[in-house]
Each structure stands twice: as C-alpha cells, then as structure tokens.
Amino acid sequence: MNNETREKLMGVSVATLATALYKRGLRHQVIQDVRPVGWKGKNMVGPAFTLRYMPAREDRNTLAEFRNPEHPQRVAIETCPEGAVLVMDSRKQAEAASAGDILITRLMKRGGAGVVTDGGFRDAAVIAELDIPAYHTRPSSPTNLTNNEAIALNEPIGCGDAPVFPGDIIVGDADCVIVIPAHLAEEVADEAVEMTAYEDFVVERVKDDHAIIGLYPCTKNEHRTAFEAWRAANNR
C-alpha cells in the first residue's frame, strides 16, 4: 500500500468501504462485533499481520509458557512490522484476554498502526488512553492462556467471521473494522473518496430540507449539476 492510498483510506468511513466492496461482490469483509477501545479521532489503516489462537490444552498452557522466548504472542508483538495492524483470531472468545496494556504499549512503541482482536483485552481502560488504535469485543481480565493457545503467525485467519490474509489492508473507524483485499486497496480507496464527496454533499442538501428520492442515489441531473458546483466551490 502506497502513502497516497493510505491517506485516502484515512478519510473515508468503514460504511463507505463496505459499499464499495459490496459492488465487487464482497459481502463479509467487516469484522463482526468489534469496537474501538477508546476512539482516537482518526482512522486506523495498515496491512494485516496476523496471530492465530487455538483452544488451550491445560498441559501446554501454564504461566511458564510466557518465559518461552518463542511464545507466538510475544513474538507477534516483537515482529509485527512498523505501520502494520496486528489482527488476532481469538476464536470470537472474550472469556480470556488476547493481550493487555504492556504488550499493546510495546506494539505502539515499535510503530504498530493498530491492533484488532475478536476477543477481549485486559487493562482496557489503560489501552484506551494509549496512542494506538485498538479494537476488541469487550474487556476481559483472565490471561489468554486460560482459554487460548497462541499457535501461528502471519497466516490466513478468520477474525470476527471475516477472512484476513497477511497483507490485506485493515481500516478501522469510530464504528468498526473492515478488511480490504490487498489487490483491491487502491481502486477501492479511489472510489470511496468519490463516494464520500458525494455523501458529504448529500448531507448538506438533506439538512437544507431536500428530499432523498432522486438525490441519494443520484438519479436527477439537477442534483448532479448541483454536486459539481458544490465540489468546485469546496475544492473536493
């Protein structure tokens, strides 16, 4: 993903991106049931770096595992590339935490663009204050070893029922998170910028008491002409 595409994705909503992907036949790219842990006021954008959990087996998941320098959860934090989003498949279980504030702080200091789990975070109130976008289902205090074993890095995963391949582009806003297939990122970003411009115009028209029919979607030339004038006046 180039910087121009990244900047475009920083300025569009997940809802708009979902519509652009729907036009291309992709209907299940939104990660279900995740929300921001403290909205940072700007989008999260970056390529996916993935971590997969599996059901824990008691003899393999004692606290001693955290002393293992090759423990995949710890390795994920230390190897996630700068500018990437760490996406965790936690089996949609928030009974045990996917990570806590110490690990997420380390990810932030290493330049991670964000973190997403379909499970929960412990120390969520602290994570909410960090300068890194984070998304989860709900706070969860028990250690991940209780339910899950971190088992694999940077392979295809499912997160909140969405397929995520390493390098896919992850975008999160104040509502939720979407996964854009890497090969579609540039064209989807371009289309989303165009859609956003028209939607901003529509909002102004609706606030001025214009009817929706013929305006959204645009089926009348009068609205198309008005939009072009509005766009020129607003440098959009």
Side-chain angles (χ1 to χ4, degrees), residues 173-195:
D173 66 6
D175 290 335
C176 51
V177 179
I178 196 166
V179 183
I180 305 174
H183 68 283
L184 293 176
E186 187 171 345
E187 67 179 75
V188 166
D190 288 342
E191 181 170 343
V193 168
E194 294 298 308
M195 292 170 64

Side-chain angles (χ1 to χ4, degrees), residues 27-56:
R27 302 185 178 196
H28 303 287
Q29 298 304 116
V30 172
I31 297 177
Q32 296 299 309
D33 202 28
V34 303
R35 51 198 60 86
V37 187
W39 170 236
K40 301 301 186 285
K42 60 183 180 180
N43 281 4
M44 171 184 71
V45 180
F49 183 84
T50 65
L51 169 64
R52 180 170 63 84
Y53 286 98
M54 65 175 286

Side-chain angles (χ1 to χ4, degrees), residues 6-233:
R6 182 181 185 278
E7 287 303 312
K8 289 176 180 177
L9 292 172
M10 289 291 293
V12 299
S13 71
V14 167
T16 297
L17 292 168
T19 300
L21 289 172
Y22 181 85
K23 291 178 180 179
R24 291 160 174 80
L26 296 170
R27 302 185 178 196
H28 303 287
Q29 298 304 116
V30 172
I31 297 177
Q32 296 299 309
D33 202 28
V34 303
R35 51 198 60 86
V37 187
W39 170 236
K40 301 301 186 285
K42 60 183 180 180
N43 281 4
M44 171 184 71
V45 180
F49 183 84
T50 65
L51 169 64
R52 180 170 63 84
Y53 286 98
M54 65 175 286
R57 198 177 77 187
E58 288 79 1
D59 63 326
R60 290 176 54 89
N61 287 274
T62 68
L63 285 175
E65 285 303 313
F66 286 150
R67 298 179 180 275
N68 178 4
E70 297 182 357
H71 187 269
Q73 183 203 45
R74 269 48 177 176
V75 174
I77 296 297
E78 294 293 345
T79 59
C80 180
E82 182 178 357
V85 175
L86 177 60
V87 184
M88 292 183 275
D89 171 6
S90 292
R91 306 190 300 122
K92 298 191 291 183
Q93 291 195 358
E95 290 87 349
S98 302
D101 68 308
I102 293 175
L103 270 64
I104 303 307
T105 298
R106 176 58 179 161
L107 182 66
M108 176 186 72
K109 296 300 289 185
R110 293 193 62 256
V115 58
V116 183
T117 178
D118 59 2
F121 289 127
R122 66 199 307 184
D123 316 307
V126 179
I127 292 172
E129 298 299 321
L130 296 176
D131 189 23
I132 182 173
Y135 292 77
H136 72 167
T137 61
R138 62 171 172 82
S140 179
S141 293
T143 176
N144 70 85
L145 297 168
T146 307
N147 274 17
N148 291 330
E149 177 176 346
I151 196 68
L153 288 174
N154 221 30
E155 64 177 28
I157 62 170
C159 184
D161 294 324
V164 185
F165 290 82
D168 282 349
I169 304 305
I170 309 298
V171 181
D173 66 6
D175 290 335
C176 51
V177 179
I178 196 166
V179 183
I180 305 174
H183 68 283
L184 293 176
E186 187 171 345
E187 67 179 75
V188 166
D190 288 342
E191 181 170 343
V193 168
E194 294 298 308
M195 292 170 64
T196 299
Y198 187 72
E199 288 166 359
D200 289 346
F201 163 75
V202 167
V203 168
E204 289 192 15
R205 300 286 276 184
V206 170
K207 288 180 177 178
D208 288 337
D209 202 26
H210 285 267
I212 290 294
I213 296 172
L215 172 65
Y216 188 69
C218 183
T219 59
K220 293 184 178 180
N221 287 333
E222 64 186 85
H223 294 308
R224 191 170 292 107
T225 300
F227 170 59
E228 293 302 329
W230 174 90
R231 193 169 200 180

